[in-house]
Amino acid sequence: MSNYTAFAEFYDQLTDNVDYKKRAEYFCKLLERHGHTMGLTLDLACGTGSLTIELAKRGVDVYGIDASPSMLTIAQEKAAEANTPILFLCQRMEELDLFGTIDTVVCTLDSINHLTEEKDILQAFQRVALFLDPNGYFVFDVNTPYKHRQNNTFLYDTENVYCVWQNTLDEETGIVEINLDFFARQEGDMYRRSNECFCERPYDSAEIQILLERAGMELVTIYDDMTFSPASPENERWVVVAKKMRKETDRRGA
């Protein structure tokens, strides 16, 4: 899994189509819809902290974790500029280690897809379950198998960088290799080239449910992205709502 050393520099420019304000409002409404108070919240794989900051502005007691030091450096700078003190920690999802339990975990923009081995996604889910309070909620989005059915090439031309984004599907494994070539504009007609490469794996709803249950969580529902409509097979992104299972003794009222 890449640490996004090169990508961090250009991440916000290449994802400026993401409306983090609306996404933060959506997650707040989603959890309210399920009768859950967010409480102490973790933004898992928070990247450059855009969603973390938007949640904090809405009064959520939130902190962020990401595996990329470069991403977290930018997140800290953005939080300082927004005058929004937030704790950011550098950890991998599958090695999550918190100071105590939390009420809610959110994980967005296909971060879960970056775990391409079943053992890794199971370990990440187990770590989330370990630190969730009883009846705590885990909400995350995933790119769907439908989105990754074919190879794609995208070109981005911004004020500061030209990017060639290539997705290559391995039909045997279902894993998509993503190659990014960045050409950062320098003085005059000069460009500085850098590269980032990582992989994504799509998971279907049945796989997600099985992995959640093996980790000690139950699947509550799956929505199409940014809606409250049931997940459809031809949507490119789903939002998964999961809940930590209570122990058998809790169910009996012991």
Side-chain angles (χ1 to χ4, degrees):
M1 184 174 173
S2 172
N3 279 336
Y4 289 152
T5 303
F7 196 13
E9 181 181 352
F10 310 112
Y11 183 83
D12 285 341
Q13 296 176 57
L14 299 178
T15 59
D16 64 354
N17 62 317
V18 179
D19 191 330
Y20 288 101
K21 291 182 180 180
K22 285 187 177 180
R23 194 160 289 270
E25 290 169 2
Y26 170 73
F27 280 111
C28 291
K29 289 179 181 177
L30 182 153
L31 288 162
E32 182 181 347
R33 184 185 183 95
H34 286 274
H36 178 68
T37 300
M38 293 188 74
L40 182 58
T41 298
L42 170 65
D43 185 4
L44 184 63
C46 66
T48 60
S50 295
L51 180 67
T52 326
I53 293 167
E54 289 299 331
L55 288 172
K57 287 179 178 179
R58 285 158 179 76
V60 178
D61 186 4
V62 63
Y63 62 104
I65 282 179
D66 199 272
S68 170
S70 300
M71 289 282 201
L72 291 176
T73 297
I74 296 172
Q76 289 174 326
E77 292 172 353
K78 287 163 62 175
E81 289 174 5
N83 195 27
T84 309
I86 296 174
L87 174 67
F88 290 103
L89 301 173
C90 188
Q91 295 181 11
R92 300 173 68 88
M93 287 187 281
E94 60 272 39
E95 297 172 358
L96 184 66
D97 190 13
L98 306 182
F99 303 114
T101 57
I102 51 180
D103 301 292
T104 308
V105 177
V106 297
C107 185
T108 63
L109 299 184
D110 55 271
S111 297
I112 294 296
N113 295 102
H114 292 211
L115 300 173
T116 58
E117 298 289 335
E118 184 176 297
K119 64 179 180 63
D120 291 332
I121 191 172
L122 176 59
Q123 187 172 343
F125 284 180
Q126 288 172 332
R127 299 304 291 179
V128 168
L130 176 64
F131 291 103
L132 270 179
D133 280 327
N135 297 320
Y137 272 73
F138 178 31
V139 182
F140 60 94
D141 65 33
V142 288
N143 282 338
T144 64
Y146 172 79
K147 182 173 182 177
H148 285 314
R149 281 180 186 167
Q150 56 188 349
N151 301 327
N152 288 299
T153 299
F154 306 95
L155 301 178
Y156 297 89
D157 190 3
T158 74
E159 182 179 351
N160 299 314
V161 65
Y162 182 83
C163 173
V164 181
W165 182 310
Q166 299 180 80
N167 294 349
T168 305
L169 172 66
D170 184 326
E171 295 189 6
E172 184 175 339
T173 65
I175 292 175
V176 176
E177 182 178 278
I178 300 172
N179 278 283
L180 308 178
D181 281 303
F182 304 105
F183 300 87
R185 290 184 172 86
Q186 307 294 295
E187 293 185 7
D189 296 326
M190 300 293 291
Y191 287 81
R192 171 174 52 85
R193 181 177 180 178
S194 57
N195 175 268
E196 194 84 64
C197 181
F198 54 93
C199 295
E200 286 195 4
R201 175 185 168 185
Y203 294 90
D204 62 34
S205 57
E207 290 176 302
I208 291 168
Q209 181 171 5
I210 290 169
L211 288 165
L212 285 169
E213 290 177 352
R214 288 176 63 188
M217 291 182 282
E218 58 181 316
L219 176 64
V220 176
T221 191
I222 304 178
Y223 296 120
D224 280 343
D225 189 39
M226 298 292 287
T227 76
F228 298 119
S229 300
S232 56
E234 295 189 352
N235 197 279
E236 293 191 346
R237 178 177 283 145
W238 292 330
V239 174
V240 180
V241 183
K243 185 179 180 182
K244 183 172 179 176
M245 291 180 180
R246 293 182 296 172
K247 295 181 181 179
E248 198 64 35
T249 54
D250 294 334
R251 294 194 186 101
R252 293 196 301 264

